[in-house]
Amino acid sequence: MTSPTPLRPLGSTGPQVFPLGLGCMGMSALYDDADRGESLATVHAALDAGVTLLDTGDFYAMGHNELLVGEALRTAPPALRERALTSVKFGALRDPDGGWTGYDGRPAAVKNFAAYSLQRLGVDHIDVYRLARLDPDVPIEETVGAVAELVEAGHVRHIGLSEVGAETIRRAAATAPIADLQIEYSLISRGPEERILPTTRELGIGITAYGVLSRGLISGHFSRDRELSATDFRAHSPRFQGENLQHNLELVEALRTVAEGKGVSVAQTAIAWVLSRGQDIVPLIGARTRARLAEALGALDVRLDEADLAAIEKAVPPGAAAGDRYPEPQMAHLDSER
């Protein structure tokens, strides 16, 4: 009989969670079309495997993703449904054509967004609630204060942050207890290591790391000749363009050599590397199928010793990626990059 997988804390004030979370965005938005039935089956399979944290956002396909997650929870066996914890981002504004029109962190808007999310998800509380991007017109203290009022009222359990820098983290934590910061962190996105990770660790704030496979770029499954639709985020992402893509895929091939030497996949190696960065880090896996989920879960069995870590660092050195992680207009909205 195998022993249960040890849980990881979402900071000093947040819940204990399975060491991998499921990022559900790709089941609704920003990538090629997903199969709804397979998406629901994947959520159920994740819960059955022990995964607890389901991450979504109210602006992912304008509510579609929350409705999908809500359906997955409603149709899951009761024992699995009770295990699930919801992590929700809010504040990104959309128009009817799917365009992005800014961010809204005003207290009244925060409570409005929460009311709609609770309805779409079909739950009586949200476990971790976070502003997707800092609203430059609203002090973070006001936004976090509004979420703290939702906590006091029982509609939210824990407060999270997303893509904010060290100064904003400190201001938020001085306002109310913060469970975790959600931020992109992977072998080719190591920006948080300089100032952000030291700050969260000083303050007892956990990390939920998204983009651990860089939207499939370092999964070992992406090829140079893959055609992307105009609505696929990667069709506009600098790291997937021209010479940048060629350079980045060469890094993947170097990583593949290390992975094959251990008898595991490239994706498992990349995920295992993020897992190795600390018990305070919970990688979010954007699996949209049960097959990709199973591969990702296999990373939990990968043990990286000092020689393995050195080989990975040699294959993919810090700062080796070509291209920014978002197009320039979106980079401008990242407080974490300032």
Side-chain angles (χ1 to χ4, degrees):
M1 185 175 180
T2 59
S3 58
T5 302
L7 303 179
R8 292 189 171 194
L10 281 192
S12 59
T13 64
Q16 297 279 324
V17 300
F18 192 78
L20 294 177
L22 183 65
C24 300
M25 179 189 74
M27 297 176 181
S28 298
L30 298 183
Y31 299 110
D32 294 329
D33 291 341
D35 179 272
R36 186 178 187 85
E38 181 61 22
S39 295
L40 294 169
T42 301
V43 175
H44 291 164
L47 294 173
D48 189 51
V51 172
T52 49
L53 196 64
L54 303 180
D55 186 77
T56 182
D58 64 10
F59 51 91
Y60 291 163
M62 287 66 79
H64 179 280
N65 200 239
E66 286 186 321
L67 290 169
L68 179 73
V69 172
E71 182 179 350
L73 292 174
R74 187 173 64 254
T75 57
L80 299 187
R81 184 167 62 249
E82 292 169 9
R83 175 183 297 164
L85 301 174
T86 52
S87 166
V88 179
K89 288 180 289 299
F90 66 88
L93 304 178
R94 309 293 298 273
D95 64 28
D97 296 320
W100 303 84
T101 60
Y103 298 92
D104 193 345
R106 294 172 302 148
V110 172
K111 294 175 182 179
N112 178 76
F113 293 140
Y116 282 83
S117 288
L118 289 165
Q119 181 68 23
R120 284 188 291 256
L121 288 166
V123 296
D124 61 9
H125 70 271
I126 296 166
D127 292 287
V128 189
Y129 201 46
R130 67 186 84 244
L131 180 66
R133 297 288 186 271
L134 184 66
D135 182 342
D137 298 322
V138 179
I140 190 63
E141 291 86 352
E142 293 185 16
T143 304
V144 167
V147 182
E149 291 178 3
L150 289 171
V151 172
E152 185 175 356
H155 303 305
V156 169
R157 292 283 169 82
H158 304 281
I159 306 171
L161 300 170
S162 177
E163 286 287 0
V164 292
E167 180 184 349
T168 303
I169 294 168
R170 290 187 183 280
R171 289 170 55 190
T175 304
I178 305 297
D180 73 315
L181 167 70
Q182 189 170 123
I183 196 163
E184 185 169 357
Y185 186 43
S186 74
L187 269 170
I188 64 171
S189 295
R190 297 181 63 171
E193 293 176 346
E194 183 177 353
R195 294 183 61 216
I196 291 174
L197 276 174
T199 301
T200 57
R201 285 170 173 164
E202 174 192 340
L203 298 173
I205 296 170
I207 295 288
T208 42
Y210 76 89
V212 295
L213 297 179
S214 299
R215 300 166 181 83
L217 180 58
I218 59 172
S219 66
H221 302 300
F222 198 91
S223 63
R224 182 173 174 78
D225 58 356
R226 180 170 174 176
E227 293 187 8
L228 300 171
S229 69
T231 57
D232 192 311
F233 169 87
R234 295 167 294 190
H236 312 284
S237 170
R239 290 183 173 173
F240 288 82
Q241 308 305 311
E243 293 181 359
N244 287 352
L245 178 60
Q246 180 61 37
H247 171 85
N248 293 332
L249 289 179
E250 288 171 2
L251 296 176
V252 175
E253 289 311 305
L255 185 61
R256 193 185 304 277
T257 299
V258 178
E260 290 178 347
K262 290 189 67 66
V264 299
S265 73
V266 175
Q268 289 168 340
T269 305
I271 296 167
W273 181 87
V274 178
L275 284 164
S276 77
R277 297 299 85 194
Q279 291 294 310
D280 57 336
I281 298 176
V282 176
L284 297 174
I285 305 305
R288 301 193 298 170
T289 67
R290 285 168 286 184
R292 289 286 186 261
L293 172 67
E295 180 183 24
L297 290 170
L300 295 170
D301 297 322
V302 177
R303 298 291 176 262
L304 300 176
D305 59 25
E306 291 301 318
D308 295 326
L309 292 171
I312 291 170
E313 292 272 343
K314 184 177 180 181
V316 188
D324 287 333
R325 55 194 183 100
Y326 284 97
E328 186 175 348
Q330 294 181 44
M331 288 294 290
H333 291 294
L334 296 176
D335 182 67
S336 55
E337 293 288 334
R338 296 187 176 92

